[in-house]
Amino acid sequence: MSDILYLTSMEPRSGKSAVALGLLDLLAADVRRLAVFRPVVPDHSRPDPIVELARQRYDLEIAEDDAVAFTYSTAAELIEAGGPQKLIEAIVDHVARLRERYDFVLCVGTDFTGPSPAVELDLNADLAANLGAPVIQVLSGHSRTADAVSTALREGAAVLKTHGCEVLATIVNRAGPEHGNLACATPPVYVVPDLPVLAALTVAEVVAALDGTLLSGDGPALQREVDSYLAGSAYLQTVLPLLKDGTLLVSSGDRIDLAVGVAAAAVSPDLPTPAGIVLTVGHVPDERSLKLLEPSGLPVIAVKADTYTTLHRLEGLTGQLRADSARKVAAALGAFADHVDTEVLRTRIQLAKPDVVTPHMFSAQLIARARADKRTIVLPEGDDDRILLAAEELTQRGVADLVLLGNVEQITAKATQLGTDVTNVRIIDPLTSPLRDAFATTYAELRAHKGVTPAMAYDVVGDVSYFGTMLVHAGEVDGMVSGAAHTTAHTIRPALEVIRTLPDVSLVSSAFLMCLPTKVLVFADCAVVPDPDAAQLADIAVCAAETAVKFGVEPKVAMVSYSTGQSGTGVDVDKVRAATELVGAKHPDLPLAGPIQYDAAVDPAVGAAKLPGNPVAGHATVLIFPDLNTGNTTYKAVQRAASAIAVGPVLQGLRRPVNDLSRGCTVADIVNTVAITAVQAQGAMR
């Protein structure tokens, strides 16, 4: 197994950061202790953006000082004192210490912005050779002909070969349609298209670059990209026709009339949505004027410089890929996954199958599985900000095809205000959809025994939760995720009425995927069934074992109780004992232990002492709790005490997947739940 990889570009502005992000995502699926390393970085006091992106997104333990060896100036001093070899020796020693502490080191080469860019390729090649690191080279196709890129490919490969480097793959980044024929299999050359969004400044970056003060607007609006600048030096009626989506107005702070007019444009469905407002010359509007700006949600920034100076400073700036730039991260990861054969690359890097699974590894594997067999998921709460932000990320990363429910104009307007792109998402209004009549007929037939008439059914299926469930039932979509704004009952009740349970399953239950630091456990039931009887508990155990298999967890089922083995009696432990016997009779090959106490289920020493010889004791991966009180309390205690990430609840037992979100869910929660639902749908009953 390889434990090191060197990523080097051939020139400046190749988009190396986006490639580094794609490689980090690939490595995060297989590597527990991952480190990112920069040999030489520019001279400035800010943290290196690639290092910070890696540390924040993947929770890497490596400190900034360990992740960076030298700045250009300190590297020059070392070369002056001892020659280039002295620098190389110091970097090799630094990396050797990292290799002792981490399972894998991704070395990201220099930025070609130092005092001698012409010699940097030689330096990177020397470093890779001395580190014994295979190389992935990146070059830019931006503003280059296909012939020019082919020449650069040959020249770069020749330099690396001269230094004795092994080239695993080449990535032609920022490419155009004319570069498509450069892709080849041996050695792999991958062509990744240019994504202008990656170079665009976000409003948050504008605030930082101008040393501005944010007067109003925050959250997702700060991550919106700035597409153009507009100097506010005329009357409002002259400025408004010049506005475009993503325009940043830069105007004197005493022109509050322009600021208010542009803010009004942001909430008008008939006008473009600007990115924000910069008020110059150090003038801050009074409190009453600021109140007029707040309803738009637009970021309003105050700066001390004049309008001309401010525009001049912005003119030469480009955006960077940062951990908090959700749209840029999703776009970069989506492009990398779409255009780079990650399985071939994983094989060439010689990554071994990991013995442990960390939360980041689990999440990366989950996304990869969803992408491999893409499904269509409906999100009924289409007007929720978090849903729209998640929808953009999911579509950009190619995790699933999506359907949003709600008023089309309202959803589109809100997406525009948020700066999110949902052009590739299908939006259906249940109230006006031609499917409503057919769904009403079907629902009336399904619920006729409950006295539901066609007229009643027509009203029911106008509800987004019922309409979404009918889409699943009809096979129009593969699954549904709801609950960001609705109760659990509102999500589950339609599924119980329409989709119903699998054959031989008596009830719908839930499971949480508990991502601990080194493994993933399945806990059930923690959210749905208050007090299951023995037969229901057995069903929950079987469904949870199947859930485990779907998500790559080898099922070893522990039927949890306050007593282990035959040591205790009583109604509660007898129920668990009876459920264990039912599971064993139906599935004699399923590794099973019960009744068993929690510590005996997960601690090998305790398990060996309390239930000697049982293969599950101390090694359980699926833990079945006797009732909702125990399950819910335990999962939350483990979540907090062990710093575990609880993914779920995942509903199990339904013929087709429907999953519930917490009303306090984050965008990341929604992304993970949609991926889970897509994976469930890959094996759902048809």
Short mmCIF file of all heavy atoms in Angstrom, two decimals, residues 197 200-209 212-227 246 248 273-278 296-302 319-320 322-328 385 389 392 416-420:
data_model
loop_
_atom_site.label_atom_id
_atom_site.label_comp_id
_atom_site.label_asym_id
_atom_site.label_seq_id
_atom_site.Cartn_x
_atom_site.Cartn_y
_atom_site.Cartn_z
N VAL A 197 -17.23 29.36 -11.64
CA VAL A 197 -17.66 29.62 -10.27
C VAL A 197 -16.50 29.50 -9.28
O VAL A 197 -16.49 30.18 -8.24
CB VAL A 197 -18.80 28.64 -9.87
CG1 VAL A 197 -18.31 27.21 -9.79
CG2 VAL A 197 -19.41 29.04 -8.54
N ALA A 200 -14.69 32.84 -9.03
CA ALA A 200 -15.50 34.00 -8.67
C ALA A 200 -15.33 34.34 -7.20
O ALA A 200 -15.22 33.46 -6.35
CB ALA A 200 -16.96 33.73 -8.99
N LEU A 201 -15.32 35.63 -6.91
CA LEU A 201 -15.29 36.08 -5.51
C LEU A 201 -16.66 35.86 -4.87
O LEU A 201 -17.69 36.14 -5.49
CB LEU A 201 -14.96 37.57 -5.44
CG LEU A 201 -13.51 38.02 -5.49
CD1 LEU A 201 -13.48 39.54 -5.49
CD2 LEU A 201 -12.71 37.48 -4.32
N THR A 202 -16.68 35.39 -3.66
CA THR A 202 -17.93 35.39 -2.91
C THR A 202 -18.05 36.72 -2.17
O THR A 202 -17.07 37.45 -2.01
CB THR A 202 -17.97 34.24 -1.88
OG1 THR A 202 -16.94 34.45 -0.92
CG2 THR A 202 -17.79 32.90 -2.56
N VAL A 203 -19.25 37.01 -1.71
CA VAL A 203 -19.45 38.25 -0.96
C VAL A 203 -18.61 38.23 0.31
O VAL A 203 -18.05 39.26 0.72
CB VAL A 203 -20.94 38.45 -0.63
CG1 VAL A 203 -21.14 39.73 0.18
CG2 VAL A 203 -21.77 38.52 -1.90
N ALA A 204 -18.48 37.07 0.94
CA ALA A 204 -17.66 36.97 2.15
C ALA A 204 -16.20 37.31 1.85
O ALA A 204 -15.52 37.98 2.65
CB ALA A 204 -17.75 35.56 2.73
N GLU A 205 -15.71 36.89 0.68
CA GLU A 205 -14.34 37.22 0.30
C GLU A 205 -14.20 38.71 0.01
O GLU A 205 -13.13 39.29 0.24
CB GLU A 205 -13.92 36.38 -0.91
CG GLU A 205 -13.69 34.91 -0.57
CD GLU A 205 -13.41 34.05 -1.79
OE1 GLU A 205 -14.11 34.22 -2.81
OE2 GLU A 205 -12.49 33.20 -1.72
N VAL A 206 -15.24 39.32 -0.51
CA VAL A 206 -15.22 40.78 -0.73
C VAL A 206 -15.08 41.50 0.61
O VAL A 206 -14.29 42.44 0.75
CB VAL A 206 -16.50 41.23 -1.46
CG1 VAL A 206 -16.61 42.76 -1.44
CG2 VAL A 206 -16.50 40.73 -2.90
N VAL A 207 -15.84 41.06 1.61
CA VAL A 207 -15.76 41.67 2.94
C VAL A 207 -14.33 41.60 3.46
O VAL A 207 -13.76 42.58 3.95
CB VAL A 207 -16.72 40.99 3.92
CG1 VAL A 207 -16.57 41.60 5.32
CG2 VAL A 207 -18.16 41.13 3.45
N ALA A 208 -13.71 40.40 3.33
CA ALA A 208 -12.35 40.21 3.83
C ALA A 208 -11.34 41.02 3.03
O ALA A 208 -10.44 41.66 3.60
CB ALA A 208 -11.99 38.73 3.80
N ALA A 209 -11.46 41.01 1.70
CA ALA A 209 -10.49 41.68 0.85
C ALA A 209 -10.51 43.20 1.05
O ALA A 209 -9.48 43.87 0.96
CB ALA A 209 -10.76 41.35 -0.62
N GLY A 212 -13.87 45.24 5.12
CA GLY A 212 -15.13 45.93 5.30
C GLY A 212 -15.85 45.53 6.58
O GLY A 212 -15.49 44.56 7.25
N THR A 213 -16.88 46.27 6.88
CA THR A 213 -17.74 46.01 8.03
C THR A 213 -19.10 45.57 7.50
O THR A 213 -19.73 46.30 6.71
CB THR A 213 -17.90 47.26 8.90
OG1 THR A 213 -16.63 47.66 9.38
CG2 THR A 213 -18.83 46.97 10.09
N LEU A 214 -19.56 44.41 7.93
CA LEU A 214 -20.86 43.91 7.49
C LEU A 214 -21.95 44.58 8.30
O LEU A 214 -22.04 44.41 9.51
CB LEU A 214 -20.92 42.39 7.65
CG LEU A 214 -22.15 41.69 7.07
CD1 LEU A 214 -22.17 41.82 5.55
CD2 LEU A 214 -22.17 40.21 7.46
N LEU A 215 -22.78 45.36 7.62
CA LEU A 215 -23.86 46.09 8.30
C LEU A 215 -25.16 45.30 8.34
O LEU A 215 -25.96 45.46 9.25
CB LEU A 215 -24.12 47.42 7.59
CG LEU A 215 -22.94 48.37 7.45
CD1 LEU A 215 -23.36 49.62 6.67
CD2 LEU A 215 -22.39 48.77 8.82
N SER A 216 -25.37 44.44 7.35
CA SER A 216 -26.62 43.71 7.25
C SER A 216 -26.42 42.50 6.36
O SER A 216 -25.55 42.52 5.47
CB SER A 216 -27.72 44.62 6.67
OG SER A 216 -28.93 43.93 6.54
N GLY A 217 -27.22 41.44 6.58
CA GLY A 217 -27.15 40.25 5.74
C GLY A 217 -26.07 39.29 6.20
O GLY A 217 -24.96 39.70 6.52
N ASP A 218 -26.40 38.01 6.26
CA ASP A 218 -25.41 37.01 6.64
C ASP A 218 -25.87 35.66 6.12
O ASP A 218 -26.74 35.56 5.27
CB ASP A 218 -25.21 36.99 8.17
CG ASP A 218 -26.50 36.74 8.93
OD1 ASP A 218 -27.52 36.38 8.27
OD2 ASP A 218 -26.51 36.90 10.15
N GLY A 219 -25.26 34.59 6.64
CA GLY A 219 -25.65 33.24 6.25
C GLY A 219 -25.33 32.94 4.80
O GLY A 219 -24.30 33.38 4.27
N PRO A 220 -26.20 32.18 4.11
CA PRO A 220 -25.92 31.77 2.73
C PRO A 220 -25.67 32.93 1.79
O PRO A 220 -24.94 32.77 0.80
CB PRO A 220 -27.20 31.00 2.34
CG PRO A 220 -27.80 30.56 3.62
CD PRO A 220 -27.46 31.62 4.62
N ALA A 221 -26.26 34.09 2.07
CA ALA A 221 -26.08 35.24 1.17
C ALA A 221 -24.62 35.64 1.05
O ALA A 221 -24.18 36.16 0.02
CB ALA A 221 -26.91 36.42 1.65
N LEU A 222 -23.82 35.41 2.11
CA LEU A 222 -22.41 35.76 2.06
C LEU A 222 -21.61 34.84 1.15
O LEU A 222 -20.50 35.18 0.73
CB LEU A 222 -21.81 35.73 3.47
CG LEU A 222 -22.19 36.88 4.39
CD1 LEU A 222 -21.64 36.65 5.79
CD2 LEU A 222 -21.69 38.21 3.84
N GLN A 223 -22.14 33.66 0.86
CA GLN A 223 -21.42 32.72 0.01
C GLN A 223 -21.83 32.85 -1.46
O GLN A 223 -21.37 32.08 -2.30
CB GLN A 223 -21.66 31.29 0.49
CG GLN A 223 -21.15 31.02 1.90
CD GLN A 223 -19.71 31.46 2.08
OE1 GLN A 223 -18.87 31.26 1.20
NE2 GLN A 223 -19.41 32.09 3.20
N ARG A 224 -22.66 33.83 -1.76
CA ARG A 224 -23.05 34.03 -3.15
C ARG A 224 -21.88 34.58 -3.96
O ARG A 224 -21.12 35.43 -3.48
CB ARG A 224 -24.24 34.97 -3.23
CG ARG A 224 -24.64 35.26 -4.66
CD ARG A 224 -26.03 35.76 -4.81
NE ARG A 224 -26.41 35.76 -6.23
CZ ARG A 224 -27.63 35.97 -6.66
NH1 ARG A 224 -28.59 36.17 -5.80
NH2 ARG A 224 -27.89 35.95 -7.95
N GLU A 225 -21.75 34.11 -5.20
CA GLU A 225 -20.66 34.59 -6.05
C GLU A 225 -21.01 35.94 -6.66
O GLU A 225 -22.17 36.21 -7.01
CB GLU A 225 -20.38 33.59 -7.20
CG GLU A 225 -19.68 32.34 -6.76
CD GLU A 225 -20.60 31.37 -6.04
OE1 GLU A 225 -21.80 31.32 -6.39
OE2 GLU A 225 -20.12 30.68 -5.12
N VAL A 226 -19.99 36.78 -6.79
CA VAL A 226 -20.14 38.09 -7.43
C VAL A 226 -19.80 37.93 -8.91
O VAL A 226 -18.67 37.58 -9.27
CB VAL A 226 -19.22 39.13 -6.77
CG1 VAL A 226 -19.33 40.47 -7.50
CG2 VAL A 226 -19.57 39.29 -5.29
N ASP A 227 -20.79 38.18 -9.77
CA ASP A 227 -20.58 38.00 -11.21
C ASP A 227 -20.14 39.28 -11.91
O ASP A 227 -19.52 39.23 -12.97
CB ASP A 227 -21.88 37.49 -11.85
CG ASP A 227 -22.27 36.11 -11.34
OD1 ASP A 227 -21.37 35.32 -11.04
OD2 ASP A 227 -23.47 35.84 -11.22
N GLY A 246 -26.35 38.62 -9.54
CA GLY A 246 -24.98 38.51 -9.07
C GLY A 246 -24.19 39.80 -9.12
O GLY A 246 -22.99 39.82 -8.85
N LEU A 248 -22.68 43.27 -7.85
CA LEU A 248 -22.33 43.92 -6.60
C LEU A 248 -22.34 45.43 -6.84
O LEU A 248 -21.55 45.95 -7.63
CB LEU A 248 -20.95 43.47 -6.13
CG LEU A 248 -20.49 44.03 -4.77
CD1 LEU A 248 -21.27 43.36 -3.64
CD2 LEU A 248 -18.99 43.81 -4.57
N THR A 273 -31.52 39.63 -9.20
CA THR A 273 -31.14 39.59 -7.78
C THR A 273 -29.67 39.93 -7.65
O THR A 273 -28.80 39.16 -8.07
CB THR A 273 -31.40 38.20 -7.18
OG1 THR A 273 -32.79 37.89 -7.32
CG2 THR A 273 -31.02 38.18 -5.70
N PRO A 274 -29.34 41.09 -7.09
CA PRO A 274 -27.93 41.46 -6.92
C PRO A 274 -27.26 40.61 -5.86
O PRO A 274 -27.91 39.93 -5.06
CB PRO A 274 -28.01 42.93 -6.50
CG PRO A 274 -29.37 43.10 -5.92
CD PRO A 274 -30.26 42.14 -6.61
N ALA A 275 -25.92 40.65 -5.83
CA ALA A 275 -25.17 39.89 -4.84
C ALA A 275 -25.03 40.63 -3.53
O ALA A 275 -24.97 40.02 -2.46
CB ALA A 275 -23.78 39.55 -5.40
N GLY A 276 -24.97 41.96 -3.57
CA GLY A 276 -24.80 42.72 -2.35
C GLY A 276 -24.53 44.18 -2.66
O GLY A 276 -24.56 44.61 -3.82
N ILE A 277 -24.28 44.93 -1.60
CA ILE A 277 -24.07 46.38 -1.72
C ILE A 277 -22.84 46.77 -0.91
O ILE A 277 -22.71 46.38 0.25
CB ILE A 277 -25.30 47.16 -1.18
CG1 ILE A 277 -26.56 46.78 -1.97
CG2 ILE A 277 -25.06 48.66 -1.20
CD1 ILE A 277 -27.85 47.27 -1.33
N VAL A 278 -21.94 47.53 -1.54
CA VAL A 278 -20.77 48.07 -0.84
C VAL A 278 -20.93 49.59 -0.76
O VAL A 278 -21.08 50.26 -1.78
CB VAL A 278 -19.46 47.72 -1.57
CG1 VAL A 278 -18.28 48.38 -0.86
CG2 VAL A 278 -19.26 46.21 -1.62
N SER A 296 -34.43 42.66 2.53
CA SER A 296 -33.92 42.02 1.30
C SER A 296 -32.99 40.85 1.60
O SER A 296 -32.82 39.96 0.77
CB SER A 296 -33.16 43.05 0.46
OG SER A 296 -31.93 43.41 1.09
N GLY A 297 -32.37 40.85 2.79
CA GLY A 297 -31.38 39.82 3.11
C GLY A 297 -30.05 40.04 2.41
O GLY A 297 -29.11 39.24 2.59
N LEU A 298 -29.94 41.11 1.61
CA LEU A 298 -28.69 41.36 0.89
C LEU A 298 -27.58 41.76 1.88
O LEU A 298 -27.82 42.56 2.79
CB LEU A 298 -28.85 42.50 -0.11
CG LEU A 298 -29.49 42.21 -1.46
CD1 LEU A 298 -29.44 43.47 -2.31
CD2 LEU A 298 -28.81 41.05 -2.16
N PRO A 299 -26.37 41.24 1.68
CA PRO A 299 -25.25 41.75 2.48
C PRO A 299 -24.97 43.21 2.14
O PRO A 299 -24.89 43.57 0.95
CB PRO A 299 -24.08 40.86 2.06
CG PRO A 299 -24.71 39.64 1.49
CD PRO A 299 -25.97 40.11 0.84
N VAL A 300 -24.84 44.03 3.17
CA VAL A 300 -24.51 45.45 2.99
C VAL A 300 -23.19 45.69 3.73
O VAL A 300 -23.09 45.42 4.93
CB VAL A 300 -25.61 46.37 3.55
CG1 VAL A 300 -25.23 47.83 3.36
CG2 VAL A 300 -26.95 46.07 2.87
N ILE A 301 -22.19 46.18 3.00
CA ILE A 301 -20.83 46.28 3.52
C ILE A 301 -20.39 47.73 3.49
O ILE A 301 -20.58 48.43 2.48
CB ILE A 301 -19.86 45.44 2.65
CG1 ILE A 301 -20.38 44.00 2.52
CG2 ILE A 301 -18.45 45.46 3.20
CD1 ILE A 301 -19.94 43.30 1.25
N ALA A 302 -19.80 48.18 4.57
CA ALA A 302 -19.25 49.54 4.62
C ALA A 302 -17.73 49.47 4.55
O ALA A 302 -17.10 48.65 5.23
CB ALA A 302 -19.68 50.23 5.91
N GLY A 319 -11.51 34.56 -6.54
CA GLY A 319 -11.95 33.79 -5.39
C GLY A 319 -11.08 32.57 -5.15
O GLY A 319 -10.31 32.14 -6.00
N GLN A 320 -11.19 32.02 -3.95
CA GLN A 320 -10.46 30.81 -3.58
C GLN A 320 -11.44 29.75 -3.12
O GLN A 320 -12.56 30.05 -2.69
CB GLN A 320 -9.44 31.10 -2.48
CG GLN A 320 -8.29 31.98 -2.93
CD GLN A 320 -7.26 32.16 -1.82
OE1 GLN A 320 -7.59 32.26 -0.66
NE2 GLN A 320 -5.99 32.22 -2.21
N ARG A 322 -12.68 27.51 -0.52
CA ARG A 322 -12.62 27.47 0.94
C ARG A 322 -13.67 26.51 1.48
O ARG A 322 -14.67 26.22 0.82
CB ARG A 322 -12.86 28.88 1.52
CG ARG A 322 -11.86 29.93 1.05
CD ARG A 322 -12.19 31.29 1.64
NE ARG A 322 -11.34 32.32 1.08
CZ ARG A 322 -10.13 32.64 1.54
NH1 ARG A 322 -9.64 31.99 2.58
NH2 ARG A 322 -9.41 33.59 0.98
N ALA A 323 -13.44 26.05 2.71
CA ALA A 323 -14.34 25.07 3.30
C ALA A 323 -15.76 25.59 3.44
O ALA A 323 -16.72 24.84 3.35
CB ALA A 323 -13.81 24.62 4.66
N ASP A 324 -15.91 26.91 3.67
CA ASP A 324 -17.25 27.47 3.86
C ASP A 324 -17.91 27.88 2.54
O ASP A 324 -19.04 28.37 2.54
CB ASP A 324 -17.22 28.65 4.82
CG ASP A 324 -16.33 29.79 4.33
OD1 ASP A 324 -15.68 29.63 3.28
OD2 ASP A 324 -16.26 30.83 5.01
N SER A 325 -17.23 27.66 1.42
CA SER A 325 -17.81 27.97 0.11
C SER A 325 -18.52 26.73 -0.41
O SER A 325 -18.00 25.99 -1.26
CB SER A 325 -16.72 28.41 -0.88
OG SER A 325 -16.03 29.54 -0.39
N ALA A 326 -19.72 26.49 0.11
CA ALA A 326 -20.42 25.23 -0.16
C ALA A 326 -20.63 25.01 -1.66
O ALA A 326 -20.45 23.90 -2.17
CB ALA A 326 -21.76 25.22 0.57
N ARG A 327 -21.02 26.07 -2.38
CA ARG A 327 -21.27 25.89 -3.81
C ARG A 327 -19.99 25.54 -4.56
O ARG A 327 -19.98 24.65 -5.42
CB ARG A 327 -21.88 27.17 -4.39
CG ARG A 327 -22.02 27.12 -5.90
CD ARG A 327 -22.48 28.43 -6.48
NE ARG A 327 -23.92 28.54 -6.41
CZ ARG A 327 -24.61 29.54 -6.97
NH1 ARG A 327 -23.98 30.49 -7.61
NH2 ARG A 327 -25.91 29.58 -6.89
N LYS A 328 -18.89 26.21 -4.24
CA LYS A 328 -17.64 25.93 -4.92
C LYS A 328 -17.15 24.51 -4.62
O LYS A 328 -16.69 23.79 -5.51
CB LYS A 328 -16.57 26.95 -4.50
CG LYS A 328 -16.84 28.36 -4.98
CD LYS A 328 -15.69 29.28 -4.62
CE LYS A 328 -15.94 30.70 -5.10
NZ LYS A 328 -14.80 31.59 -4.87
N ASP A 385 -35.14 27.05 2.86
CA ASP A 385 -33.80 27.48 2.45
C ASP A 385 -32.81 26.33 2.47
O ASP A 385 -31.99 26.18 1.56
CB ASP A 385 -33.30 28.60 3.38
CG ASP A 385 -34.04 29.91 3.18
OD1 ASP A 385 -35.00 29.94 2.39
OD2 ASP A 385 -33.67 30.90 3.84
N LEU A 389 -30.51 24.83 -0.63
CA LEU A 389 -29.05 24.78 -0.59
C LEU A 389 -28.56 23.35 -0.75
O LEU A 389 -27.58 23.08 -1.46
CB LEU A 389 -28.54 25.38 0.72
CG LEU A 389 -28.77 26.88 0.90
CD1 LEU A 389 -28.51 27.30 2.34
CD2 LEU A 389 -27.87 27.68 -0.04
N GLU A 392 -28.92 22.12 -4.44
CA GLU A 392 -27.83 22.56 -5.32
C GLU A 392 -26.61 21.67 -5.13
O GLU A 392 -26.00 21.21 -6.11
CB GLU A 392 -27.48 24.01 -5.05
CG GLU A 392 -26.36 24.52 -5.94
CD GLU A 392 -25.99 25.96 -5.66
OE1 GLU A 392 -25.78 26.30 -4.48
OE2 GLU A 392 -25.89 26.74 -6.62
N THR A 416 -33.30 32.10 -6.31
CA THR A 416 -32.56 33.24 -6.85
C THR A 416 -32.06 34.15 -5.74
O THR A 416 -30.92 34.61 -5.76
CB THR A 416 -33.45 34.03 -7.82
OG1 THR A 416 -33.89 33.17 -8.88
CG2 THR A 416 -32.68 35.21 -8.42
N GLN A 417 -32.91 34.41 -4.75
CA GLN A 417 -32.50 35.25 -3.63
C GLN A 417 -31.34 34.63 -2.86
O GLN A 417 -30.45 35.33 -2.38
CB GLN A 417 -33.69 35.48 -2.69
CG GLN A 417 -34.77 36.39 -3.27
CD GLN A 417 -36.00 36.46 -2.38
OE1 GLN A 417 -35.99 36.02 -1.25
NE2 GLN A 417 -37.08 37.01 -2.91
N LEU A 418 -31.35 33.29 -2.74
CA LEU A 418 -30.27 32.60 -2.03
C LEU A 418 -29.01 32.49 -2.87
O LEU A 418 -27.93 32.18 -2.35
CB LEU A 418 -30.72 31.19 -1.63
CG LEU A 418 -31.75 31.09 -0.50
CD1 LEU A 418 -32.24 29.65 -0.38
CD2 LEU A 418 -31.14 31.56 0.82
N GLY A 419 -29.16 32.72 -4.18
CA GLY A 419 -28.03 32.54 -5.07
C GLY A 419 -27.76 31.09 -5.39
O GLY A 419 -26.65 30.73 -5.77
N THR A 420 -28.77 30.24 -5.25
CA THR A 420 -28.61 28.82 -5.53
C THR A 420 -29.10 28.50 -6.93
O THR A 420 -30.03 29.14 -7.44
CB THR A 420 -29.38 27.95 -4.52
OG1 THR A 420 -30.75 28.35 -4.52
CG2 THR A 420 -28.82 28.14 -3.12
#
